[in-house]
Each structure stands twice: as structure tokens, then as C-alpha cells.
Amino acid sequence: EAAVTQSPRNKVAVTGGKVTLSCNQTNNHNNMYWYRQDTGHGLRLIHYSYGAGSTEKGDIPDGYKASRPSQENFSLILELATPSQTSVYFCASGEGQGNTEVFFGKGTRLTVV
Amino acid sequence: QQQVRQSSQSLTVWEGETAILNCSYENSAFDYFPWYQQFPGEGPALLIAIRSVSDKKEDGRFTIFFNKREKNLSLHIKDSQPGDSATYFCAGNMGYKLTFGTGTSLLVDP
């Protein structure tokens, strides 16, 4: 079964600090995604990747960086965390273009104080 | 700008009724429309999907009705069960990107 694992599952960070959210997939999928989920906004795409070494901006990339060092791993980096980045973050992986199933992890709840 | 809209933030039905969740979109280039189901504490999971060349897709108790001309679609859940209580996201796809709606929280009362 498809497996996307996120770590940590919960994180409290201080304003101005650096935060790294990690994601690992064992599906051997080329594409990986980072979304944030907020009430009233649904899921919004932050960054995505077509494969190792590639990252692309999604719809709300400001304040975030991404890194795809290998096929399996995709990280989301907040260099200077702000309270507005308090949210639940989901990593996902998929094969081909977006018209196939995308598999999500269980999410990371980030609170920036 | 919300490219995919779900008109109801929440919906309550009785067990055994048909739940109807509505969705509309703006981008004519969307060619694939999945519905994802999410339970508390979990990530979304694909429930059912339709391609823009079709007007109906059925899978067990779940049916998508799609109207390309009107740019809307709906998810019908027949014989709703308490276990169907979850948040449902409509999405539209273009290329590598999925754009999600804001979600509808469905509660099925026993």
C-alpha cells in the first residue's frame, strides 16, 4: 500500500525560528506535494516537485522553501516562521500528472508562537 | 480567488438518505475532478473521480454528476451511513496541479 510518512506530527516553533518539515514516500512516485490546510481555505498548494533535484512553486509559496534531495524525500522549510504559518501541513505523492490518485500523509500540525 | 468552490461548508443528513455535495469551478482547462474524503486526524484519501469527457461516474453508493457547460459537479452518496461522516473535498486538475475546494463537512445522523 502507498505510504507517505511525515515528521514531526506536531511541532511548536517560535516566531523567527527555522522550521523543517520532512516527508518520506515509499511509493517510488516522481511527484511530491506540500499543502497546507486551514479552515475556510481547504487545501492550498505550497510547493511541488517532479523528481529528485526539482522544486516548483505552487499557489502560495511565499515564506516557504522546498527541497527534494532524493526520490523518497521532500522537505518544506520555513526560514523565518511567523504566526500566520500556524496550520496543518500535508505532504502527498503521485505518479504521472495530477489526473491520477495522489496519496497523502497524516499531516503535521505546526503552531508558531 | 477560489477556483474551486463548494457551496456548503457543512451538511447534515439522516442515515439512509442521499447526501448531495455540490461543487463549481472556474478554470475551463481542468480536465479531471477527484473527490477526496478526510476523517479527523487523517490525510485526505481519494474517494471517486471523473474526467471532463464524462458526465457521470458511479462507484457503489457514490456517484459524480458532471456538467461541463455549467462548470459544476455534484457528489451523491446514496444510503448514507454514519461511517460516511467526514469532510469531502472537490478538486480540479490541470497538468501536475490539483486545486482543492474548501471542503464540505458531512454529518450522517443515525
Side-chain angles (χ1 to χ4, degrees), chain A residues 1 8 12-15 44 46 60 65 70 106 112:
Chain A
E1 182 171 317
V12 179
V14 295
T15 298
R44 292 181 290 174
I46 306 170
I60 54 162
K65 287 172 53 178
S70 64
K106 292 183 180 293
V112 182

Side-chain angles (χ1 to χ4, degrees), chain A residues 30-32 49-55 68 70-71:
Chain A
N30 285 329
N31 305 326
M32 295 187 74
S49 167
Y50 301 130
S54 88
T55 60
R68 182 88 182 269
S70 64
Q71 179 82 340

Side-chain angles (χ1 to χ4, degrees), chain B residues 18-86:
Chain B
T18 296
I20 300 175
L21 289 70
N22 295 307
C23 178
S24 62
Y25 64 97
E26 295 183 3
N27 191 338
S28 300
F30 287 157
D31 58 3
Y32 171 76
F33 298 87
W35 284 85
Y36 279 76
Q37 180 188 54
Q38 184 181 29
F39 295 104
E42 299 289 326
L46 179 66
L47 180 65
I48 186 173
I50 192 167
R51 300 189 188 279
S52 59
V53 294
S54 301
D55 55 15
K56 181 180 176 182
K57 177 72 178 293
E58 193 168 353
D59 185 357
R61 296 186 295 110
F62 303 94
T63 303
I64 299 174
F65 293 93
F66 179 69
N67 186 324
K68 189 171 185 175
R69 187 172 61 86
E70 299 291 329
K71 293 187 185 176
N72 61 49
L73 60 159
S74 59
L75 173 67
H76 291 227
I77 305 174
K78 278 192 305 190
D79 187 25
S80 295
Q81 302 296 309
D84 296 329
S85 297

Side-chain angles (χ1 to χ4, degrees), chain A residues 33 37 59 98-99 102 106, chain B residues 36 38 42 89 93 95 97:
Chain A
Y33 309 84
Q37 182 174 17
D59 298 320
N99 55 1
V102 173
K106 292 183 180 293
Chain B
Y36 279 76
Q38 184 181 29
E42 299 289 326
F89 291 97
N93 166 253
K97 290 173 57 176

